[in-house]
Amino acid sequence: MKSPVVIAAGWIGAYIFVALSPLTILLIYPAPSGRGFWVDFSVALGFIALAMMALQFALTARINRIESSYGVDIILQFHRYISLVAFAFVLIHPLILFIVEPETLQLLNIFTAPWRARMAVTATLALIVLVITTIWRQKLNIPYEPWRTAHGILAVLTVGLGLGHAIGVQNYLGLFWKAVLWSAIAFTALWLLVYVRLVKPWLMLKKPYLVEEVRPERGNVWTLALRPVGHNGFPFQPGQFAWITLDISPFRMREHPFSMSSNGDNIEKIEFSIKALGDFTNTIKDVPAGTKAFLDGPYGVFTADRYEDAAGFVLIAGGIGITPMISILSTHAERKDERPYLLIYASKTWEDITFREELEQLKEKIDLTVVHVLKEPPENWSGETGYVDKELLQRYIPKRRATRQYFICASPKMMDQVELALHQLEVPPTNIHMEHFNLV
C-alpha cells in the first residue's frame, strides 16, 4: 500500500500543476510583442485565478480519493482560504492594467465596452457577491440552503464568464486548441457541479434508509438509528461521518454532517448520536420511526483504522465529541482489539456524561482507561476537575509519547488548547489527529 503522505503530496502536486498550467500554455505560444512585463504578469495572474476557481469545484465535490488523503474539514478549509487568494488575483489582474494602461479604464463602462469586457466585469461582480455572502453569511442572516444554491450559481457565472472573457481577448487564447483546452477545464468544473447537485442525489435516492428509533442519551443527546431499505448499507471506519438528509428529497441539498456512533462493522444499522444545539438538531427527538432518510458517506480520516501499527490510542473528547470515540471503542471491542486505550473525557457535570454506562461496560471488553474531567463536579467527586490542560495530560499519557496515536474531538477552543499542550509535551505532530464539528 502506498504511503498516505505520498498520496497526499501527489494531490498537492496535481493541484499546483493544474493551477500553474496557464503559464505553460502562454509560454508555448508567446503573447504579442510590445505589451510589456506588467501586462503579461497581469494576464498570468488572471489565468491562474481562473484555473484556481475551476479547481474549487473539484475541492467541494467530495471526491473520495482526495478526501481520504486529508479529510473533508481540511479540504473545505483549504477551499475557503484559496478562494481568497484567487479573489485577490482577480482584483489585482485589472488593477495592474489600469495603472500601466490608464485608457483601459473605459472598459468598466458596460454600456460601451465590448462584450468580452462586459463578461469580465460581470464575472468580477459575481465573485465579489460570492465572497461577501460566504464570509458574512451568518451576519447577513442568510439561511444555509438558499446560500448554498446561490453559491453554486455565482461560482458557475464567475468561471463561465471568466472563460468567455479570456477567449474573447484572443491575444493569449487565439489558437483553437487553447480554447478547446480551457473549455474542457470549464466543462469539467461544470460536470462536477452537476455530479454533486444531480447525479449524487439520484444515487442516494436509490439507497434510502428508514428511521428505526430515536432514543435519548445523557447530556441532551439523541441517538438516531437508521436501517437500509432494499440495499446493504455501507461499512465505515469507526470515527467517520456522513451527511444526513431527513424526510425530504436529497435533491433539496438540505443535509447535515454527523459522526456515526455505532459499530462500523455492523452495516445492518447505522447510528448517529446528536446533541440538541440548534434549529435542526433540536428536532431530532421528534423524528418519528419510519421517516425516510438518505446518507452521503462515509467520509473522514479521523479513525484509528488507519493506524494498525500503533501500540495504543489516546482519545480526548469534550461533550458531544465523544461520538466518534464511542464508535472507535465499540468497534474495536467487538474486534477484540488487545491494544490499550486511554479516554480523557471532559464534561460539564456528572449527569451530562453521554454514554457513561456504555463506557463502563466497554471496560470489560477492551483495555480501556477512562478519565472523566468535570467542570462542575459533585461534592463527593474525587476525580479530575477543570480543564484538560498540560498538567493533566502529563499525568496520564504514556512517557513514550510516540508509541500512541492521539485523537481529539471537542469544541474548537478545547481542541486548540489540547493540541498546544500535546506539542509542549513533545507528542509528534504526525500522531495528533483532530475532528472539527463545523463543516458548513
Side-chain angles (χ1 to χ4, degrees), residues 51-67:
M52 291 170 67
M53 288 187 292
L55 284 168
Q56 295 292 67
F57 290 89
L59 293 176
T60 56
R62 300 178 196 168
I63 300 173
N64 285 43
R65 291 192 177 186
I66 300 177
E67 185 274 334

Side-chain angles (χ1 to χ4, degrees), residues 334-353:
E334 290 300 319
R335 295 175 183 175
K336 303 186 184 303
D337 195 321
E338 298 178 350
R339 292 172 293 181
Y341 290 79
L342 168 64
L343 171 64
I344 300 176
Y345 185 11
S347 305
K348 185 177 181 180
T349 68
W350 178 248
E351 295 302 322
D352 287 331
I353 300 176

Side-chain angles (χ1 to χ4, degrees), residues 307-328:
Y307 306 96
E308 287 297 322
D309 294 333
F313 300 93
V314 175
L315 312 179
I316 304 171
I320 194 57
I322 190 62
T323 302
M325 310 303 190
I326 198 71
S327 178
I328 291 173

Side-chain angles (χ1 to χ4, degrees), residues 75-128:
I75 291 175
L76 290 183
Q77 287 295 330
F78 179 77
H79 166 74
R80 291 163 184 158
Y81 292 129
I82 208 67
S83 295
L84 297 178
V85 175
F87 180 56
F89 286 176
V90 168
L91 294 183
I92 294 172
H93 161 60
L95 287 177
I96 292 177
L97 290 179
F98 297 154
I99 294 172
V100 177
E101 299 179 352
E103 63 275 11
T104 56
L105 282 168
Q106 61 184 336
L107 295 176
L108 293 177
N109 188 339
I110 61 174
F111 299 103
T112 60
W115 65 267
R116 60 182 181 274
R118 296 178 187 178
M119 297 181 79
V121 172
T122 306
T124 303
L125 291 175
L127 182 59
I128 291 173

Side-chain angles (χ1 to χ4, degrees), residues 227-269:
R227 282 196 180 275
V229 178
H231 61 100
N232 295 325
F234 58 75
F236 61 89
Q237 296 177 338
Q240 290 188 304
F241 68 94
W243 266 272
I244 304 177
T245 300
L246 271 178
D247 202 27
I248 58 174
S249 167
F251 289 98
R252 292 282 301 276
M253 303 299 292
R254 189 188 298 167
E255 53 186 0
H256 304 268
F258 295 105
S259 296
M260 277 78 81
S261 57
S262 54
N263 185 338
D265 297 334
N266 181 12
I267 63 176
E268 295 180 359
K269 182 168 67 172

Side-chain angles (χ1 to χ4, degrees), residues 74-360:
I74 292 178
I75 291 175
L76 290 183
Q77 287 295 330
F78 179 77
H79 166 74
R80 291 163 184 158
Y81 292 129
I82 208 67
S83 295
L84 297 178
V85 175
F87 180 56
F89 286 176
V90 168
L91 294 183
I92 294 172
H93 161 60
L95 287 177
I96 292 177
L97 290 179
F98 297 154
I99 294 172
V100 177
E101 299 179 352
E103 63 275 11
T104 56
L105 282 168
Q106 61 184 336
L107 295 176
L108 293 177
N109 188 339
I110 61 174
F111 299 103
T112 60
W115 65 267
R116 60 182 181 274
R118 296 178 187 178
M119 297 181 79
V121 172
T122 306
T124 303
L125 291 175
L127 182 59
I128 291 173
V129 174
L130 185 152
V131 171
I132 291 176
T133 54
T134 299
I135 295 177
W136 292 287
R137 177 177 69 85
Q138 294 181 340
K139 292 184 178 180
L140 294 172
N141 294 321
I142 303 175
Y144 177 71
E145 186 177 0
W147 168 82
R148 188 175 181 183
T149 301
H151 191 81
I153 294 172
L154 291 170
V156 171
L157 282 175
T158 300
V159 174
L161 293 174
L163 176 63
H165 165 69
I167 294 176
V169 173
Q170 291 189 344
N171 288 332
Y172 297 87
L173 292 183
L175 292 182
F176 175 75
W177 68 268
K178 291 186 179 182
V180 170
L181 177 61
W182 272 97
S183 297
I185 293 176
F187 280 120
T188 299
L190 180 61
W191 161 247
L192 289 172
L193 182 65
V194 170
Y195 174 76
V196 171
R197 297 301 177 92
L198 297 177
V199 177
K200 181 170 285 189
W202 177 74
L203 294 174
M204 293 167 60
L205 199 62
K206 296 174 65 177
K207 294 184 177 182
Y209 292 77
L210 288 181
V211 175
E212 183 177 83
E213 65 170 336
V214 178
R215 64 176 183 271
E217 310 284 358
R218 291 182 179 273
N220 198 23
V221 173
W222 300 83
T223 292
L224 181 73
L226 306 177
R227 282 196 180 275
V229 178
H231 61 100
N232 295 325
F234 58 75
F236 61 89
Q237 296 177 338
Q240 290 188 304
F241 68 94
W243 266 272
I244 304 177
T245 300
L246 271 178
D247 202 27
I248 58 174
S249 167
F251 289 98
R252 292 282 301 276
M253 303 299 292
R254 189 188 298 167
E255 53 186 0
H256 304 268
F258 295 105
S259 296
M260 277 78 81
S261 57
S262 54
N263 185 338
D265 297 334
N266 181 12
I267 63 176
E268 295 180 359
K269 182 168 67 172
I270 298 179
E271 296 183 346
F272 301 84
S273 297
I274 303 168
K275 188 175 182 65
L277 292 171
D279 293 341
F280 175 76
T281 55
N282 279 325
T283 65
I284 294 298
K285 63 180 182 297
D286 301 319
V287 175
T291 299
K292 186 171 289 189
F294 302 94
L295 298 181
D296 179 19
Y299 294 102
V301 295
F302 189 80
T303 172
D305 283 9
R306 293 168 62 93
Y307 306 96
E308 287 297 322
D309 294 333
F313 300 93
V314 175
L315 312 179
I316 304 171
I320 194 57
I322 190 62
T323 302
M325 310 303 190
I326 198 71
S327 178
I328 291 173
L329 293 172
S330 60
T331 303
H332 286 207
E334 290 300 319
R335 295 175 183 175
K336 303 186 184 303
D337 195 321
E338 298 178 350
R339 292 172 293 181
Y341 290 79
L342 168 64
L343 171 64
I344 300 176
Y345 185 11
S347 305
K348 185 177 181 180
T349 68
W350 178 248
E351 295 302 322
D352 287 331
I353 300 176
T354 309
F355 301 123
R356 193 177 77 193
E357 290 79 10
E358 289 83 347
L359 290 172
E360 289 301 313

